[in-house]
Amino acid sequence: MHRRIIAPGALAAASLLLAIPASAASYSPGAPGIGDPYYPAYGNGGYDVSHYDLRLQYQPATDELAGTATILAKTTQDLSRFDLDFLLDVSEVRVNGVKATFATSGQHELEITPKTPLPSGTPITVVVRYSGVPSTKSAYGFNTWHRTPDGAVAADEPESAWWWFPSNDHPSDKATYDVSVAVPNGTQAISNGTLQSTSSQLGWTRYNWRQNKPQATYLATLALGRFDITTSTSEGGVPVVNAYSKDLGDNDGSARASVERTGEIVDWLSGYFGPYPFSNAGGYVPNTTTGYALETQSRVYYSPRQFANGANTSVVVHELAHQWYGDDVSLKGWKDIWINEGFARYAQWLWSEHEGEGTTQQLADYVYALHPADDAFWTIAPGDPGPDNQFELPVYDRGALAIQALRNEVGDDAFFAILKGWPKEHAYGNASVADFQKFAEEVSGKSLSALFDIWLFQPSKPAAPAARSASIAKASQAPVQPKSWKRIAATNDVHGG
């Protein structure tokens, strides 16, 4: 090692510079968007959140929600002002214990100006007091707060937080959560993670939920109503909490016959993807009129319509696969949606094979043959579909075709090492399609640029199917429909806003 000698005069000058505070000119507002090209106004710049503590009270009869959000974060630049994404009515904001001024702008921006500027690297505690009726609030012409006969549900994609808590609403800023909700006695509050405790007084019951692993804001969920709650533990030791609205009617039996298999399916998926990444698993089925399911972290949201035709374990597989692909490893930007949806769809194909209802290769052959070359299906590129096509069928089905093509290219040993290694490589973080390609190349030892380009980025039908047999490509050959295809094709966890 070499010690650099600094002249006394230079040392004195350096000490003097350190004593001078940064000029006011060095402070600037954080950006009102995090920089996602699909959703430029979503998220915010200038800080990184580590924890949300939400203390809420909800009245089902009037849909009135009141709360205090305490947000722990650290500044990433010299900040004169910063934004949160939020829609309800704010009465007070404090930054590090001191009242701050605030204003609203745009569709969903809460602009906060602390009393004194915040240097980069400063830990901050932001307290926001608020109230309102979420069902009366809208942004960009939609509302993602779903009223039910006995309460409400917050579960949507790519946004739902604005209607119930202020946040840095982008998947790249993940945080842990404590969600404490008081509801009238007889009503339950369901959220992510583990139920820490309940308490009752003065006609209200408070439910305290904790998510102790990093979670994207759109994966935070809240269900308020009257539920039948079941608890169990999977054979592999994962605690499972499920909840069913007490007024599901004819869908009640089929919903339970599906969702009660959560523990079994979690253990089965662990064989492909590695250990389950969270402390708790489960799902809930409220009495909503939406048609989709959503991978809300550790507590999946299912619409009753997913079970209208009978039991549907395929959708349970899809949403639970997201716990690894989408929740544990989250996308860096919304254009990376293929990593979420392609692998969740492929998990359904694996389940079909497990159930003896068609192999992954048969399903790939069927999808490829189903869509002729001039079908618009092939014009959407799963690797960068654009915001208008982000939740369209090709992202799911062409996305799964790409995965079967990858499997055929690298062989089963490397393929299954990739499936299990990816969640371990990026545990509780964020990654992109480019990151996945690089990882797959490292594990397989093959260059995969051409394969990824053909299957994920070209707006045309590949010249050869994911199948190894060239006979499948013949246009005159009628596709053989596997037993499970209709159920799988109906299972898209699309944005319902």
Side-chain angles (χ1 to χ4, degrees), residues 305-360:
R305 284 172 53 189
Q306 290 289 335
F307 313 106
N309 296 320
N312 185 0
T313 53
S314 187
V315 70
V316 178
V317 170
H318 183 105
E319 303 307 335
L320 291 176
H322 276 310
Q323 304 306 304
W324 287 265
Y325 281 78
D327 295 7
D328 178 9
V329 185
S330 300
L331 40 73
K332 278 185 178 177
W334 281 106
K335 71 181 179 66
D336 300 309
I337 192 67
W338 167 73
I339 297 179
N340 292 21
E341 302 304 346
F343 283 89
R345 177 67 97 219
Y346 196 78
Q348 291 177 271
W349 291 8
L350 289 168
W351 179 255
S352 171
E353 187 168 285
H354 172 72
E355 295 288 275
E357 296 183 348
T359 67
T360 61

Side-chain angles (χ1 to χ4, degrees), residues 4 23 28-29 37 66 101 108 152 167 169 201 215 238-239 271 277 304 352 363 384 400 421 465 477:
R4 194 169 84 174
S23 70
S28 59
T101 59
H108 55 88
S167 67
D169 190 29
Q201 64 178 13
Q215 175 176 278
V238 177
S352 171
L363 287 163
D384 189 358
Q477 180 173 337

Side-chain angles (χ1 to χ4, degrees), residues 3-348:
R3 188 183 301 276
R4 194 169 84 174
I5 299 174
I6 302 175
L11 186 62
S15 300
L16 181 62
L17 286 172
L18 289 173
I20 298 174
S23 70
S26 71
Y27 291 88
S28 59
I34 211 163
D36 193 305
Y38 280 20
Y39 304 101
Y42 288 24
N44 305 284
Y47 63 94
D48 181 76
V49 177
S50 60
H51 184 73
Y52 293 94
D53 182 278
L54 309 176
R55 188 171 180 85
L56 311 174
Q57 183 169 324
Y58 180 72
Q59 177 52 260
T62 58
D63 196 39
E64 293 177 277
L65 180 70
T68 299
T70 303
I71 303 169
L72 306 182
K74 180 178 285 188
T75 58
T76 57
Q77 68 177 70
D78 292 338
L79 275 180
S80 59
R81 191 187 75 215
F82 61 94
D83 288 13
L84 292 168
D85 300 297
F86 197 44
L87 287 174
L88 297 187
D89 304 319
V90 175
S91 59
E92 182 182 59
V93 177
R94 290 178 178 267
V95 178
N96 291 341
V98 179
K99 280 190 177 182
T101 59
F102 60 91
T104 58
S105 67
Q107 295 277 342
H108 55 88
E109 299 291 336
L110 174 64
E111 296 181 349
I112 298 171
T113 304
K115 188 172 183 179
T116 57
L118 303 169
S120 180
T122 300
I124 57 174
T125 301
V126 183
V127 177
V128 182
R129 299 184 189 276
Y130 58 93
S131 62
V133 178
S135 58
T136 66
K137 303 294 185 180
S138 65
Y140 306 105
F142 61 83
N143 183 309
T144 69
W145 179 262
H146 308 296
R147 290 283 275 139
T148 64
D150 53 10
V153 170
D156 218 318
E157 183 182 24
E159 66 289 289
S160 70
W162 311 343
W163 283 264
W164 65 288
F165 69 98
S167 67
N168 191 18
D169 190 29
H170 191 270
S172 61
D173 193 1
K174 298 165 74 169
T176 55
Y177 287 72
D178 281 307
V179 179
S180 176
V181 191
V183 288
N185 289 347
T187 298
Q188 285 95 5
I190 309 294
S191 192
N192 309 83
T194 303
L195 181 63
Q196 299 292 106
S197 64
T198 61
S199 60
S200 297
Q201 64 178 13
L202 303 176
W204 294 80
T205 302
R206 181 168 289 279
Y207 294 81
N208 299 298
W209 293 89
R210 172 167 292 172
Q211 176 56 268
N212 64 353
K213 297 298 184 183
Q215 175 176 278
T217 45
Y218 84 96
L219 297 172
T221 193
L222 182 65
L224 308 152
R226 296 177 182 271
F227 292 94
D228 178 30
I229 299 174
T230 67
T231 60
S232 62
T233 302
S234 80
E235 189 175 2
V238 177
V240 178
V241 178
N242 296 322
Y244 307 90
S245 176
K246 293 186 175 181
D247 57 356
L248 287 179
D250 291 344
N251 292 328
D252 183 79
S254 54
R256 291 172 188 263
S258 308
V259 179
E260 285 301 303
R261 295 184 69 179
T262 292
E264 171 197 351
I265 293 169
V266 162
D267 288 346
W268 176 79
L269 285 168
S270 296
Y272 289 103
F273 300 152
Y276 181 71
F278 305 118
S279 62
N280 199 283
Y284 69 96
V285 190
N287 187 9
T288 61
T289 58
T290 62
Y292 61 91
L294 185 67
E295 65 268 23
T296 41
Q297 188 164 308
S298 74
R299 188 112 317 104
V300 173
Y301 163 79
Y302 300 99
S303 161
R305 284 172 53 189
Q306 290 289 335
F307 313 106
N309 296 320
N312 185 0
T313 53
S314 187
V315 70
V316 178
V317 170
H318 183 105
E319 303 307 335
L320 291 176
H322 276 310
Q323 304 306 304
W324 287 265
Y325 281 78
D327 295 7
D328 178 9
V329 185
S330 300
L331 40 73
K332 278 185 178 177
W334 281 106
K335 71 181 179 66
D336 300 309
I337 192 67
W338 167 73
I339 297 179
N340 292 21
E341 302 304 346
F343 283 89
R345 177 67 97 219
Y346 196 78
Q348 291 177 271

